[in-house]
Amino acid sequence: MGSALVTGATSGIGLEFAWELAAERNDLVLVARNEKRLATVAENIRQVANVQVEVLPADLATESGARAVAERVSAEERPIGLLINNAGFGLGQEFIGGSLERELEALDAMVRAVLITSHAATQTMVGRGYGAILNVASIASWSLNGTYSAHKAWVRTFTEGLAASLKGTGVSATALCPGLVRTEFHERAHIDADAWFRFAFSSPRTVARIGLDACRKGQPIVTPTLLYKAAELGLRLAPRPVVTLVAGPNVTKLAGAPQ
Ligand SMILES: NC(=O)c1ccc[n+]([C@@H]2O[C@H](COP(=O)([O-])OP(=O)(O)OC[C@H]3O[C@@H](n4cnc5c(N)ncnc54)[C@H](OP(=O)(O)O)[C@@H]3O)[C@@H](O)[C@H]2O)c1
């Protein structure tokens, strides 16, 4: 398959992608901002799984960071057979009254960088006749939780459309739409994860495994766990005023909502 490149590989779902892929004897390229943490994760994986692990420190909210990852995706040497666009974060602010800089950072990291790296991957992989792209969206792509929902809706729509365009090329695209997952996400976004029932959380390993499985099958979209499959169905079928009421911005403000 070639190597797998995972963004946001030092924590949560991305870290589990890295371990799962290494356990299946895939070489890896790991991307995140914190260089020290990247080096530690890479060394642990090398020692335990005995695979080659490159690190690529990059801030995907910057043009240079996204381009550096795209360049690695396009490289002929040690070709990338699987691109996982996983890096992402909750904004930790409301749109009204929030910082525009933070909004642009989120848009650049979760939309622009996904576009740039997916573009590089499709050009290169279609030329080779094989490869896969796995983009991490969210159940929030069906809700109305501010610009985070909008970014994840973009990832989901873009990836499903890309999957259809790629038919017959030997390359696949999959959108992964998890519900709540127990990671550093909520703490980083200043969200109180204890506001939800414990059973509402999936483990990052479960989510990563389901995502990789769907990717192997070439599924255009997958929502892990029965709970969130049901939530997705409800959000898709409910009239918009109902969605606004049960999964709109006010719900986030009062009690927190799935990001
Ligand atoms: N946790 C949930 O409940 C949940 C639910 C649905 C979807 N998701 C999505 O799942 C994905 C993974 O989130 P997670 O829950 O695993 O979060 P996490 O534990 O906070 O991990 C985030 C990872 O992304 C990296 N990252 C953040 N900003 C970055 C940037 N600008 N450039 C490069 N790397 C960056 C972080 O490393 P550095 O800080 O070192 O860069 C870290 O490795 C995200 O796209 C998130 O939106 C999460």
Side-chain angles (χ1 to χ4, degrees), residues 8 10-11 13 33-34 59-60 86 148 152 179 181 183 188:
T10 51
S11 165
I13 305 169
R33 290 167 301 182
N34 186 322
D59 182 350
L60 289 160
N86 162 78
Y148 180 84
K152 292 303 188 181
V181 190
T183 68
R188 285 177 187 242

Side-chain angles (χ1 to χ4, degrees), residues 94-107:
E94 299 290 337
F95 184 74
I96 301 169
S99 133
L100 178 60
E101 286 315 307
R102 181 66 171 160
E103 287 291 347
L104 292 172
E105 186 189 344
L107 181 73

